[in-house]
Amino acid sequence: MTRTFRGLALAIAVPLVLGTAAGCSGKSDGAESSSDRPTVEVTAQPQDAQSAQVAAEQVFDSLSEGDWAGAWDLWTDGAKAAIGKDAYIDLVATCTGQQGQYQVTSVTPVDDSTATIKWSHMPAGSTANQTGTNTVKYQHGEWRFEPDPAALAAYKQNKCP
């Protein structure tokens, strides 16, 4: 039994070692070597109130500019699961009052991964200032925007909030 096991082990190990050695032979098959590729370093955003505010401001800038896809891209995973990107873009493009000037008026950290954002909004062509509150959550090393539950419910029903 020992002799058969050793033979079997050699039959498996030798091709693996030779295959690995052949892959490291240094011969180029025309593809770029790994040293020719740029190095990408992934860094997480800081978990502080200032970074949470910046994330909310990015969403509001996207809304102000009519960049619906850009706003959706900055949502939390849960919000994205509530309505797909294409459905959101199709719907929100028909909603009046999304564009205009937004201003974050305060940021209150709830914990290390959640902050409450208070904001004001002057819709384009309007003199009535609106105010609201949203949550931003730290997910996957980034702050993400969570639309309020009423807005998400309206989006799910294909209605403007």
Side-chain angles (χ1 to χ4, degrees), residues 34-119:
S34 62
S35 64
D36 293 340
R37 296 182 190 146
T39 301
V40 177
E41 189 172 320
V42 177
T43 58
Q45 292 176 340
Q47 284 183 256
D48 59 14
Q50 183 179 7
S51 297
Q53 178 174 339
V54 168
E57 289 171 345
Q58 289 174 331
V59 170
F60 294 141
D61 287 347
S62 293
L63 292 173
S64 292
E65 297 166 3
D67 179 9
W68 316 128
W72 187 91
D73 286 340
L74 297 170
W75 282 9
T76 61
D77 293 343
K80 288 178 177 180
I83 182 170
K85 187 175 188 174
D86 291 339
Y88 170 74
I89 292 168
D90 291 344
L91 172 63
V92 79
T94 67
C95 299
T96 59
Q98 293 293 309
Q99 291 179 296
Q101 296 296 347
Y102 289 86
Q103 181 179 5
V104 173
T105 57
S106 72
V107 179
T108 305
V110 175
D111 56 36
D112 286 345
S113 61
T114 308
T116 301
I117 304 289
K118 290 187 179 182
W119 50 268

Side-chain angles (χ1 to χ4, degrees), residues 135-146:
T135 301
V136 289
K137 296 180 178 180
Y138 196 77
Q139 295 180 332
H140 314 294
E142 297 178 312
W143 285 99
R144 296 297 182 158
F145 187 84
E146 180 84 22

